[in-house]
Amino acid sequence: MHDPASGHFRALTLSAESPYCAKAARDMVGSYLRIWGLPHAVDATRLVVSELVGNVVHHAVPDDRLARPGTGRRIDVSLMTYPELLVIGVSDEDSTPPELPPGEFMSLASADDFTEALLPDRGRGLLIAQRLAESVWWSPGIGGGKTVWCRFDLDELRIEYSV
């Protein structure tokens, strides 16, 4: 069960070439959140981790110094809880910064006939992450690559998605 005083940590390394990598990441996140007694956090976090892993699969090209001939692209998924916080990190071997969409929110209802103009051609996965998570940011890796982080407030998820 989730112990707010100590938190939890789990990680999974995936191959971006596997057709099941997004499913494996979703399953790992959902399974551990249920084990830790956090079922209210499952839906939002599974969607976010799926989008972030999908971004790596479709966009990440490993840095030359990290790519080894004959090896696949690596994805690391981290799941951490702290007192009333849940943090997800998805790391890849591409140092190119992600294109985080602007953080300002405009209601689609007020956009009327302009909804397609408001939705970017790229970055929709990160837009979904920004709408579901309390915050989204990225950090460069020490030896190259990067990690995209999402932080969730467990109290907010409990209120919004209570089971």
Side-chain angles (χ1 to χ4, degrees):
M1 296 299 287
H2 176 63
D3 177 6
S6 63
H8 295 282
F9 174 81
R10 289 294 181 266
L12 177 67
T13 298
L14 304 161
S15 168
E17 279 65 47
S18 169
Y20 307 107
C21 63
K23 181 184 181 331
R26 283 191 306 271
D27 290 350
M28 186 265 300
V29 167
S31 175
Y32 279 109
L33 290 176
R34 285 185 194 96
I35 289 169
W36 297 339
L38 301 169
H40 52 280
V42 171
D43 291 339
T45 55
R46 279 176 45 108
L47 178 56
V48 168
V49 80
S50 186
E51 292 293 337
L52 296 179
V53 168
N55 283 349
V56 174
V57 170
H58 294 292
H59 303 294
V61 177
D63 296 340
D64 288 341
R65 64 185 176 277
L66 294 175
R68 294 181 203 106
T71 62
R73 295 173 296 150
R74 176 180 164 154
I75 304 171
D76 293 314
V77 179
S78 303
L79 178 66
M80 300 163 274
T81 63
Y82 301 98
E84 299 311 316
L85 290 177
L86 169 66
V87 178
I88 293 174
V90 176
S91 304
D92 62 57
E93 299 171 300
D94 183 349
S95 294
T96 306
E99 295 178 28
L100 294 173
E104 298 160 16
F105 178 73
M106 175 183 258
S107 167
L108 292 180
S110 66
D112 293 328
D113 296 328
F114 301 106
T115 55
E116 286 196 27
L118 293 174
L119 294 174
D121 289 335
R122 294 176 48 120
R124 290 181 182 165
L126 290 171
L127 188 62
I128 290 169
Q130 285 181 324
R131 295 297 179 250
L132 293 175
E134 183 181 3
S135 62
V136 178
W137 71 99
W138 74 280
S139 63
I142 293 172
K146 67 180 168 299
T147 302
V148 176
W149 300 96
C150 294
R151 184 181 69 214
F152 296 85
D153 180 313
L154 289 172
D155 283 337
E156 289 290 322
L157 290 175
R158 190 174 291 112
I159 291 166
E160 207 166 320
Y161 301 101
S162 52
V163 178

